[in-house]
Amino acid sequence: MPQPTDTATPPHDGHRAAHRLVDVPGGRIHLVEQGTGPLVLLLHGFPETWRSWRHQLPALAAAGFRAVALDVRGYGRSSKPAEVAAYRMTAHVADNVAVVHALGEDTATVVGHDWGATIAANTALLRPDVFTAVGLLGVPYAPRNGVRPTDAFGMVGGDEEFYVGYFQRPGRAEAEIEPDVRGWLAGFYASLSADTMAPDGSPSCFFVPSGRKMADRFVRDARPAWLSEAELDALAEEFERTGLTGGLNRYRNVDRDWEDLAPWDGAPLTQPSLFIGGEHDSSTTWMADAIEAFPAALPGLSAAHLLKGCGHWVQQERPDEVNRILTGWLRSLT
């Protein structure tokens, strides 16, 4: 794999992917870019890296765009601040703005999946002067409301603990994951992929019984079709090197985010927008009300696509379909 460089000028001819590091206020961000043309930032979710966009980079480049996939703060080769509060939403927004400027651009489209979708939405919300369009995969936009997130999550699940609450205490989830990173990742990916997830009616891995682990309800001995052994090895190697704390710290800032974003309570995203979700993704079922509210929350929505037979890992489970939708939408913006 090519080594990152520390230059603010494009180090490649646009035909192949290039790795680089750029300075941001909180440290440095590692990114992979391919292509020339209008800038498109791609933000991954948990627990992933820039590699979740490996199918989109060449497709967007071939369509005439400068596609840039980040290792979000706390992941991969990007900086990993020690303080939990360093992973608040406003810090991620500042990273994304700094990346655009480091790449010599004034504006960009931002596209995210999972937590990356929420980061993308808030990046567009807070900096509409820089981010002129937003694409959301997996997790729909839901404007801030008056309920503190941890209070809301505490009311979910009855006697069982919702996974976001389970992730709150530093060190707790790490103690479950890090003794067998590859096994935990394999189970998590399989449990949320349409071709390997447990049948309807099975206990959800998103709810943790008292004294148990999240992984106790993972699908075992199954590997999704989209996830090769080599790809799983590469992801496991990366997280074995970095640990999971950076990614988990995103969950540990939900209340800080709620406080920081108070001035934007109920605010819609007015830029041109796109949503792509999976039919069998829990995010699209839990947040069905948010999808129904798109006419008010996303007045610039071009289209909302719910992919039949697709799970959570949308752009990896259905790369060709996602590439077709994304490139068509991006071309409509130019």
Side-chain angles (χ1 to χ4, degrees), residues 16 18 40 45 50 101 114 146 153 159 166-167 236 241 246 248 279 296:
R16 61 184 179 86
V40 182
W50 72 268
H101 293 159
D114 184 77
F153 298 139
D159 294 335
Y166 182 74
F167 285 169
R241 181 180 64 83
L248 290 163
E279 177 189 26

Side-chain angles (χ1 to χ4, degrees), residues 178-197:
E178 292 178 359
D180 180 14
V181 170
R182 191 182 191 279
W184 196 93
L185 291 175
F188 191 66
Y189 297 144
S191 297
L192 305 186
S193 184
D195 61 339
T196 50
M197 63 175 50

Side-chain angles (χ1 to χ4, degrees), residues 92-112:
H92 289 289
V93 173
D95 285 347
N96 296 334
V97 172
V99 166
V100 171
H101 293 159
L103 295 175
E105 304 288 350
D106 295 320
T107 61
T109 295
V110 61
V111 178

Side-chain angles (χ1 to χ4, degrees), residues 46 162-170 173 184 214 248 251-252:
F46 176 88
F162 191 49
Y163 80 108
V164 178
Y166 182 74
F167 285 169
Q168 289 299 303
R169 189 171 74 231
W184 196 93
M214 187 175 176
L248 290 163
Y251 293 91
R252 295 164 184 159

Side-chain angles (χ1 to χ4, degrees), residues 68-211:
V68 175
L70 277 59
D71 274 337
V72 173
R73 171 187 294 231
Y75 288 85
R77 303 182 198 175
S78 293
S79 293
K80 299 164 190 64
E83 294 296 321
V84 173
Y87 297 85
R88 68 204 315 152
M89 186 60 69
T90 52
H92 289 289
V93 173
D95 285 347
N96 296 334
V97 172
V99 166
V100 171
H101 293 159
L103 295 175
E105 304 288 350
D106 295 320
T107 61
T109 295
V110 61
V111 178
H113 169 254
D114 184 77
W115 259 121
T118 303
I119 295 172
N122 283 286
T123 296
L125 181 68
L126 272 61
R127 293 302 304 267
D129 56 318
V130 177
F131 296 94
T132 56
V134 57
L136 309 175
L137 275 64
V139 177
Y141 174 60
R144 182 199 186 275
N145 61 36
V147 181
R148 183 176 293 273
T150 54
D151 291 341
F153 298 139
M155 294 184 288
V156 177
D159 294 335
E160 299 184 343
E161 189 172 14
F162 191 49
Y163 80 108
V164 178
Y166 182 74
F167 285 169
Q168 289 299 303
R169 189 171 74 231
R172 183 186 187 188
E174 289 92 331
E176 171 182 339
I177 300 168
E178 292 178 359
D180 180 14
V181 170
R182 191 182 191 279
W184 196 93
L185 291 175
F188 191 66
Y189 297 144
S191 297
L192 305 186
S193 184
D195 61 339
T196 50
M197 63 175 50
D200 289 344
S202 300
S204 172
C205 67
F206 287 117
F207 297 94
V208 185
S210 178

